[in-house]
Amino acid sequence: MMQLQTGGKKILRQFVLRLCSCKQSIALAILALAWMPIPAQQKQERTVLTISWADSHATPIKFSLVALEKLEHKKLVMELPPNFGLSGKHEWSGVPLRSVLAAAKATHFSTLRVVALDGYQVSIPAEDLVRYDPLLAYQRDGQYIAIRDRGPLFLVYPFDQYPELQKVLFMNRTIWQASTIILQ
Amino acid sequence: MLPMKPGNARRWRVALPVAVVIAMTIATAVALVLTQRQANVLATPKPYGDLWYLYSIDSSLWHLRMTSDNFLDGKATESDLTDQLEIVLSIVSPNPTAPTSLTPTVERLPEVQGELAFVRSTVNGWSELEAEGSPAAIQKLAREIQAKEFDLHDRIERSLGVVHVETLNEHDIERNKLHQSFVFLVWVMVGLLLGMGILVGRLVLDYMHAIRLSRHLADLNNMLEERIEIRTRELAEGRELLSFILEASPSDVVLTDGNDGKVHFMNSQFRRRLGISEDVSKISLNDLFQNPEDGRRFLEEIEHRGILDGWEAVLSGSKPFWSTISARKLKISGSPAHLFWSYDISTRKVLEEQLRALATTDVLTNLWNRREFMIRGASLIAHSIRHGHPCAVLMIDIDRFKQINDQYGHTVGDEAIKAIGAVFRKELRGFDLAGRLGGEEFAAILPETGSEVAREVAERLRNAVALVQVATPEGGLLGFTVSIGVSVLMEDKQTGLVQLLQQADKALYEAKNRGRNATAIFLEQAEISG
């Protein structure tokens, strides 16, 4: 699998993407695209998250990492419960799930069914978004998360901030490889 | 059932609740430790990801197989295939840095571990083909997946069965453990319930016992109060009766304090006799005696002997009076007291005096009678002899007294005798002893008197009598004379009253012989001088 290995390349790529997103200097963007490794570019622009409605035939909304990175950015530094087999504090950065749904203009839903790449799925009540503001993380310790690292998207709850989250219920809702959200 | 001694039963009644409490405490402590341990186990959620883990491998492998089929049919892209392979890899052999599902059951089963190791090595082989990246390698990858997927699926399925059974067993073992814990807790609670039952029963029994006791106590108290009331009434009645008896007693009664002698009680008769008012609190025992010395002796006697009867003393009053006193030492309310009753014996004393006078004196002359004269005379003579003092004895006899009696009657004789008494009282000194020895015979003892003075005294008496005249029944006056014999105590002669009287009698006989109305003195050489 092709993956960005070095921090230097990543920063450069981000810089170029920002330039592109500004839509101010197309020429510069073309130059950058020509210069950058194409598979990586493809990776970033592939759909990583699909939002659909259970009782509607509305077109599902798709997000690439690039699109997600344009949304509100948030960081959480914390330790996951021991059940995840990942000890120590880690920095999770990404976009609040709330913001993603807002960007998808999703309203009038009570439950989110989140489906993972490995087939795992779990229902999350809408009030969790308000109460705990879970984070849809796409970077761990400053690195994008590979599929083999349970990426690319990892929905994490702020376990450090709310002691009541130390339950299997919320550990189940902490879903890795999240790929689809079905609103109900 | 064995008969129990009362002592044993009592010991058991104390020991049983104590043993129950100790047993309850130990059982509760053990249950607490057990519960605490169980709570600690339950504090951390237990991961049960095994079945899902195996299922997700199987599911992702199936998706990979589908994608491979589609890829070979041209319906899926190369990246679709590699992405799906990545998903399988992320489950079977994730990066060491990836978060993982904990699969304790799988890790414990070597059989499943073996199967998983096979799956892992197969998928890792595919991963190497993917890394090659060439279209030929990808083609080979897809075909390999098609070829091996079913075998892998079969292995996972078998492992699922094994893990499922193992999981069921594990759950049952845990359930059993929990069940045993709860059974133990139930027994502890049953024990606690029984213990509490015993204690409550004990409490109820004690309470009932206490109620019975208190009722019994109340009954006893009532009985006691009743008795006290009766006793008090009886005492009050007794005191009233005693008071009445004491008040009515003809004796004088007084009760005094044994320590300070203050009067507690005095009957009205005594108060009247002493001439004092109702208030007796200021009077003490000593005030009752005319002579303070009597009071002191009385107290000594009563303290020493505790009982006193027929003690005679003059009591003070408006007029002092003789009393015979009886007394008892006793205790009133724990403090010593003296009960003292007396009887006025003034009348008896007067009678006694009269009797004594009658017994010792001659009625006509008021001189000592013969008996008294002899007693007193003997002691007077003995006294003189002892001290070597002179002493004289006079024998006096009325001349021709029989003739007077015969001629004028006994009354005139009695008058003559009375006259002699009067002369003796007039002429003799206060310490001289004079008595009528019988009939017309008199005697006198003159202490401190020698023969010369004795003769003078005798002469004076004789002359005084010669001057006396007594009235006769015929209205005339009768004179009479006496003859006197004198004897004197000789210093060197052992002698007594009887000898002296005999000597004086001899001298009197001489005087009579000389012709009467004369005085004669008895001398040593049996001569009698005129």
Side-chain angles (χ1 to χ4, degrees):
Chain A
M1 173 177 166
M2 299 303 290
Q3 218 175 343
L4 291 169
Q5 299 289 332
T6 60
K9 267 189 182 175
K10 190 196 78 184
I11 291 162
L12 180 63
R13 181 186 51 77
Q14 272 189 330
F15 171 72
V16 172
L17 282 174
R18 289 274 158 82
L19 285 177
C20 293
S21 64
C22 286
K23 295 177 184 174
Q24 285 172 346
S25 176
I26 295 164
L28 198 64
I30 291 165
L31 184 71
L33 282 169
W35 187 72
M36 282 187 68
I38 288 164
Q41 182 62 34
Q42 278 174 346
K43 283 270 177 201
Q44 303 308 321
E45 287 184 348
R46 264 179 28 212
T47 297
V48 288
L49 182 68
T50 308
I51 294 174
S52 62
W53 283 260
D55 53 354
S56 153
H57 295 290
T59 321
I61 297 174
K62 297 183 182 230
F63 287 92
S64 65
L65 274 181
V66 178
L68 287 176
E69 279 177 324
K70 284 178 189 161
L71 299 175
E72 181 188 347
H73 186 252
K74 188 186 165 188
K75 273 184 189 173
L76 281 178
V77 178
M78 59 165 188
E79 184 170 3
L80 287 178
N83 277 14
F84 288 92
L86 186 70
S87 58
K89 277 187 188 280
H90 294 276
E91 184 200 89
W92 303 88
S93 58
V95 50
L97 186 53
R98 195 167 33 82
S99 303
V100 179
L101 294 173
K105 298 194 168 39
T107 50
H108 306 299
F109 59 92
S110 60
T111 310
L112 299 85
R113 192 144 54 81
V114 185
V115 185
L117 291 176
D118 60 1
Y120 179 83
Q121 45 182 289
V122 73
S123 284
I124 294 175
E127 54 261 33
D128 269 16
L129 305 183
V130 181
R131 193 177 299 162
Y132 303 118
D133 195 17
L135 179 71
L136 195 61
Y138 42 74
Q139 280 191 341
R140 194 184 86 195
D141 299 326
Q143 299 281 334
Y144 288 98
I145 312 167
I147 290 178
R148 283 208 213 185
D149 276 325
R150 312 295 192 193
L153 295 176
F154 201 153
L155 182 66
V156 288
Y157 276 74
F159 287 102
D160 280 11
Q161 290 172 32
Y162 303 95
E164 70 263 30
L165 294 176
Q166 299 283 346
K167 287 180 198 160
V168 170
L169 182 70
F170 292 103
M171 294 174 196
N172 290 342
R173 288 178 191 171
T174 299
I175 177 169
W176 61 47
Q177 295 181 336
S179 66
T180 307
I181 295 172
I182 301 159
L183 300 172
Q184 289 176 321
Chain B
M1 203 161 156
L2 284 170
M4 253 185 193
K5 285 181 188 168
N8 276 346
R10 202 171 306 128
R11 210 170 304 144
W12 269 106
R13 270 167 58 186
V14 177
L16 188 66
V18 171
V20 164
V21 168
I22 290 172
M24 278 165 68
T25 310
I26 291 171
T28 311
V30 171
L32 256 178
V33 169
L34 191 93
T35 311
Q36 173 68 22
R37 210 174 284 166
Q38 194 73 53
N40 279 345
V41 170
L42 294 176
T44 42
K46 223 173 169 194
Y48 290 110
D50 301 85
L51 287 173
W52 174 258
Y53 172 66
L54 292 175
Y55 164 76
S56 61
I57 294 174
D58 197 33
S59 161
S60 60
L61 279 172
W62 185 79
H63 277 286
L64 183 61
R65 162 72 189 273
M66 286 290 122
T67 314
S68 297
D69 290 353
N70 287 341
F71 174 72
L72 291 173
D73 291 351
K75 290 177 195 161
T77 62
E78 182 193 328
S79 77
D80 287 339
L81 183 63
T82 53
D83 274 2
Q84 198 55 50
L85 181 59
E86 279 301 308
I87 289 169
V88 174
L89 281 164
S90 80
I91 301 167
V92 176
S93 62
N95 282 341
T97 53
T100 50
S101 294
L102 297 184
T103 53
T105 312
V106 167
E107 275 155 32
R108 219 175 23 251
L109 295 168
E111 189 187 352
V112 177
Q113 284 289 315
E115 301 287 15
L116 282 179
F118 183 85
V119 171
R120 197 169 292 125
S121 73
T122 308
V123 177
N124 281 338
W126 294 347
S127 175
E128 280 164 24
L129 284 177
E130 183 208 5
E132 270 182 42
S134 65
I138 300 298
Q139 280 287 326
K140 193 185 173 196
L141 171 68
R143 289 195 192 289
E144 283 225 358
I145 290 168
Q146 268 187 330
K148 291 180 180 171
E149 190 268 338
F150 185 75
D151 178 39
L152 298 186
H153 165 71
D154 202 35
R155 286 167 188 272
I156 299 293
E157 210 165 44
R158 233 177 303 147
S159 297
L160 261 171
V162 172
V163 169
H164 173 64
V165 170
E166 179 66 16
T167 307
L168 287 183
N169 281 342
E170 266 177 32
H171 281 217
D172 204 50
I173 287 167
E174 269 174 37
R175 181 192 62 75
N176 256 327
K177 271 191 202 162
L178 270 178
H179 178 246
Q180 279 168 10
S181 299
F182 275 102
V183 165
F184 176 75
L185 282 179
V186 164
W187 279 115
V188 167
M189 282 180 195
V190 165
L192 286 179
L193 195 69
L194 278 176
M196 271 161 66
I198 289 172
L199 289 182
V200 167
R202 183 67 213 276
L203 272 178
V204 168
L205 283 178
D206 281 0
Y207 178 67
M208 278 159 64
H209 187 60
I211 284 180
R212 269 204 305 279
L213 274 183
S214 87
R215 258 189 224 142
H216 187 57
L217 210 64
D219 284 353
L220 279 180
N221 198 31
N222 282 344
M223 210 159 77
L224 205 66
E225 272 176 15
E226 232 168 77
R227 272 194 204 167
I228 286 171
E229 204 180 312
I230 291 170
R231 220 42 211 120
T232 310
R233 205 164 49 234
E234 279 175 1
L235 272 175
E237 283 169 7
R239 193 172 297 145
E240 239 168 74
L241 185 63
L242 184 66
S243 223
F244 177 78
I245 290 170
L246 290 177
E247 284 293 350
S249 164
S251 314
D252 303 326
V253 183
V254 67
L255 184 70
T256 60
D257 192 293
N259 292 325
D260 56 11
K262 291 276 182 208
V263 169
H264 288 316
F265 170 83
M266 184 181 275
N267 71 347
S268 53
Q269 173 172 307
F270 203 5
R271 287 204 303 274
R272 240 187 345 267
R273 203 189 297 285
L274 293 177
I276 55 176
S277 64
E278 290 275 323
D279 183 23
V280 292
S281 60
K282 291 209 173 73
I283 301 168
S284 80
L285 186 67
N286 278 333
D287 301 335
L288 300 179
F289 291 91
Q290 175 73 7
N291 183 356
E293 182 63 16
D294 278 350
R296 199 186 54 74
R297 279 201 304 124
F298 170 81
L299 272 179
E300 250 176 41
E301 285 279 300
I302 188 72
E303 278 300 322
H304 184 61
R305 290 162 55 191
I307 179 166
L308 212 63
D309 275 313
W311 210 74
E312 289 180 7
V314 179
L315 296 187
S316 64
S318 45
K319 202 175 95 187
F321 59 97
W322 274 97
S323 270
T324 176
I325 299 165
S326 289
R328 294 288 182 278
K329 191 175 159 185
L330 42 86
K331 286 211 167 193
I332 292 175
S333 311
S335 55
H338 297 141
L339 178 63
F340 168 114
W341 65 99
S342 65
Y343 198 78
D344 181 5
I345 52 166
S346 303
T347 320
R348 201 192 83 193
K349 277 286 170 188
V350 169
L351 284 172
E352 263 180 23
E353 282 303 315
Q354 286 175 355
L355 269 176
R356 189 176 295 121
L358 280 175
T360 56
T361 54
D362 175 59
V363 183
L364 284 178
T365 58
N366 248 343
L367 298 176
W368 300 118
N369 61 16
R370 182 183 180 90
R371 186 176 154 272
E372 190 67 17
F373 177 83
M374 291 307 281
I375 294 168
R376 289 174 180 251
S379 76
L380 200 57
I381 296 298
H383 184 267
S384 295
I385 290 170
R386 195 159 54 246
H387 293 97
H389 290 180
C391 185
V393 174
L394 275 60
M395 284 287 280
I396 302 111
D397 194 88
I398 301 174
D399 296 332
R400 300 185 207 284
F401 185 67
K402 194 177 170 340
Q403 212 175 317
I404 295 169
N405 268 347
D406 291 346
Q407 196 174 338
Y408 300 100
H410 284 287
T411 318
V412 174
D414 284 354
E415 284 303 315
I417 286 169
K418 274 187 196 169
I420 298 287
V423 168
F424 274 25
R425 265 192 300 281
K426 191 183 165 205
E427 296 299 333
L428 291 179
R429 298 165 299 184
F431 53 83
D432 293 336
L433 187 74
R436 180 184 171 206
L437 300 185
E440 72 278 20
E441 196 179 40
F442 298 85
I445 297 171
L446 314 175
E448 312 291 336
T449 307
S451 55
E452 282 310 306
V453 177
R455 180 199 297 277
E456 280 169 25
V457 172
E459 280 303 294
R460 203 165 64 227
L461 283 174
R462 193 180 57 81
N463 291 330
V465 170
L467 291 175
V468 172
Q469 283 185 316
V470 293
T472 61
E474 290 84 22
L477 290 169
L478 176 71
F480 60 95
T481 58
V482 290
S483 298
I484 300 173
V486 179
S487 69
V488 182
L489 182 66
M490 291 300 152
E491 281 179 24
D492 51 347
K493 290 271 181 180
Q494 285 298 314
T495 186
L497 176 61
V498 178
Q499 282 92 339
L500 283 170
L501 279 174
Q502 280 172 357
Q503 289 168 2
D505 203 40
K506 279 184 182 167
L508 175 63
Y509 186 73
E510 180 60 34
K512 290 274 187 190
N513 280 343
R514 284 187 198 159
R516 299 181 178 88
N517 195 18
T519 298
I521 295 178
F522 179 83
L523 294 173
E524 251 182 281
Q525 289 80 29
E527 343 164 3
I528 292 168
S529 91

